[in-house]
Amino acid sequence: MPAVPAVPAPAVDMTTQPRPVYVIGAGPGGLAAAAALRARGVRAVVVEKSDAVGASWRRHYDRLHLHTTRRLSALPGLAMPRRFGRWVSRDNVVRYLEKYAEFHELELVTGVEVTRIEPGPEDEGGWTLHASGGRVLSAAAVVVATGFNHTPRLPDWPGLESYAGRLLHAADYRNPRPYAGQDVLVVGVGNTGAEIAADLAEGGAARVRLAVRTAPHIMRRSTAGWPAQRSGILVRRLPVWLVDRLGALVARASVPDLSAYGLPRPATGLYSRVKEGAIPVQDVGLVAAVRAGKVEPVAAVASFDGAEVVLADGSRITPDAVIAATGYHRRLEGLVGHLGVLDERGRPRTHGARTPAEARGLYFTGFTNPISGMFREMALDAEKIAKAVARQTAGS
């Protein structure tokens, strides 16, 4: 979606709406939903448990840039500045989110955590929100946007509780400086693990190993000026088998075969894996680091034993540090789990303008990781949610 030109938000008379729509979370999804609602004359109040917008982005590692283009990552009503470049840095994402909230004059309440959502009184409808400090809030509708990367997840590895070495989750990694001259094992070869491994190799770590459970699909972020994101947008409605074949052809033409280095091409198709929730790795240094021997793919972690890490092939290593890029929990169970709106993996069963049949007026955004770009999809979701809520408000 092309970036929307910056146009001042219209003045809105909110005095006739005693119960606002509450948006939980001041990340890109929540801010986009609030701005889209405000543009349609619906009062939206954003509630954020931290002290500022974009809290998760502020905690990401220093090297991080969006893997999606600036133009295709803008939220509704405000373009990203050209000076941010094509691939926007973490710090500039934070600057953009701060400016976005200011530009749209969003109602933002920080330092308040919503802990539980329940249906409102039968005679009033809507929703009741229980929040920190004993607060009880009444909402006409609720948009849950607490984020894809909410709570760091560590696998239940045998021996983990007695591991004598240094172990941290990727959420706590910032830059390679503390690991200069060290032997580091990175666990997990998603985009975060791949980029941290490359960052360590370039930043002076003595040895970097990358534990791989399932060989990933690796794509160039851009080929001959054509961003992978645009391909992701184009193929979303094509049959899975066709995209799998196209993906294999593109990979063979653009990405070297790393089988000799311990990182073979995946046995399953690219889009088949996407449907299972595995997004391709955007190459921002991993391929070169592997070919140069600066990052060594090794078997998956099987267990821990004292100061040793035991790999799935039976080998044992003793790294100075282990960085687990093993993903995140959404942690929605306490908030909405009692409403029957989550699937068996704890993810919302609906997103965007679609709401569960048993929970009308409860919307979710930002809990999927599509190959077309998360920012882009949250922007689209925001417009759809705002339209649905405005229709609901007009009919009530």
Side-chain angles (χ1 to χ4, degrees):
M1 182 182 71
V4 181
V7 177
V12 177
D13 180 6
M14 297 176 177
T15 59
T16 61
Q17 298 174 34
R19 290 194 304 168
V21 174
Y22 278 98
V23 179
I24 306 173
L31 297 179
L37 285 162
R38 190 181 191 282
R40 286 182 174 268
V42 178
R43 184 185 176 200
V45 178
V46 182
V47 182
E48 168 58 45
K49 70 176 183 179
S50 72
D51 60 358
V53 302
S56 64
W57 274 91
R58 296 173 191 273
R59 295 192 298 267
H60 285 314
Y61 49 93
D62 297 348
R63 172 190 175 116
L64 182 64
H65 285 66
L66 287 177
H67 291 161
T68 54
T69 67
R70 171 182 55 80
R71 285 184 56 81
L72 293 172
S73 300
L75 303 178
L78 184 66
M80 286 189 173
R82 290 179 60 88
R83 68 178 182 277
F84 285 0
R86 194 180 199 194
W87 313 107
V88 183
S89 70
R90 177 203 64 183
D91 290 348
N92 280 335
V93 169
V94 172
R95 292 187 183 98
Y96 174 71
L97 295 179
E98 290 174 339
K99 180 63 178 179
Y100 192 84
E102 176 187 354
F103 179 81
H104 287 291
E105 300 179 343
L106 301 182
E107 288 190 58
L108 178 64
V109 179
T110 59
V112 174
E113 180 179 8
V114 177
T115 56
R116 188 174 177 87
I117 301 173
E118 296 179 340
E122 289 188 12
D123 59 333
E124 297 180 10
W127 297 92
T128 298
L129 282 60
H130 298 270
S132 55
R135 298 174 178 84
V136 179
L137 310 173
S138 180
V142 179
V143 181
V144 180
T146 50
F148 192 83
N149 296 338
H150 189 274
T151 304
R153 182 182 71 84
L154 281 176
D156 188 19
W157 286 305
L160 180 61
E161 67 283 351
S162 58
Y163 178 55
R166 182 186 181 192
L167 171 68
L168 66 150
H169 191 273
D172 297 315
Y173 175 85
R174 293 295 174 268
N175 58 64
R177 286 193 295 274
Y179 309 94
Q182 294 189 9
D183 181 341
V184 186
L185 173 67
V186 179
V187 184
V189 69
N191 276 292
T192 297
E195 189 158 358
I196 288 177
D199 197 32
L200 288 164
E202 296 169 10
R207 186 175 189 179
V208 181
R209 283 175 282 205
L210 180 60
V212 180
R213 179 168 57 89
T214 304
H217 285 276
I218 301 175
M219 302 176 62
R220 298 293 188 191
R221 187 168 62 176
S222 178
T223 302
W226 178 265
Q229 181 189 9
R230 287 199 178 275
S231 297
I233 295 170
L234 292 174
V235 304
R236 289 194 70 188
R237 299 189 183 280
L238 295 179
V240 172
W241 65 266
L242 178 57
V243 181
D244 282 348
R245 290 187 181 181
L246 293 173
L249 292 173
V250 171
R252 288 191 179 92
S254 61
V255 179
D257 186 355
L258 302 176
S259 299
Y261 302 92
L263 199 59
R265 295 192 189 278
T268 54
L270 183 151
Y271 207 34
S272 294
R273 291 281 296 279
V274 168
K275 291 295 186 180
E276 296 170 357
I279 299 301
V281 170
Q282 302 283 314
D283 178 38
V284 289
L286 178 66
V287 171
V290 169
R291 296 181 78 187
K294 295 181 178 180
V295 172
E296 308 167 46
V298 297
V301 170
S303 63
F304 291 82
D305 184 10
E308 294 184 319
V309 181
V310 183
L311 303 181
D313 60 5
S315 61
R316 291 170 175 260
I317 60 176
T318 311
D320 296 310
V322 177
I323 301 174
T326 48
Y328 294 81
H329 295 290
R330 310 297 168 256
R331 284 290 184 257
L332 292 169
E333 291 81 3
L335 187 67
V336 297
H338 55 288
L339 299 174
V341 297
L342 305 178
D343 65 16
E344 65 282 356
R345 294 171 61 182
R347 302 171 305 181
R349 291 192 285 106
T350 62
H351 73 275
R354 295 185 295 115
T355 61
E358 63 275 17
R360 298 299 184 192
L362 181 62
Y363 301 88
F364 296 91
T365 184
F367 295 99
T368 60
N369 192 13
I371 58 175
S372 52
M374 184 178 285
F375 271 56
R376 177 182 183 274
E377 294 305 317
M378 287 189 291
L380 295 174
D381 277 354
E383 300 283 15
K384 293 173 184 177
I385 290 170
K387 183 177 180 181
V389 172
R391 188 185 305 118
Q392 171 193 332
T393 304
S396 60

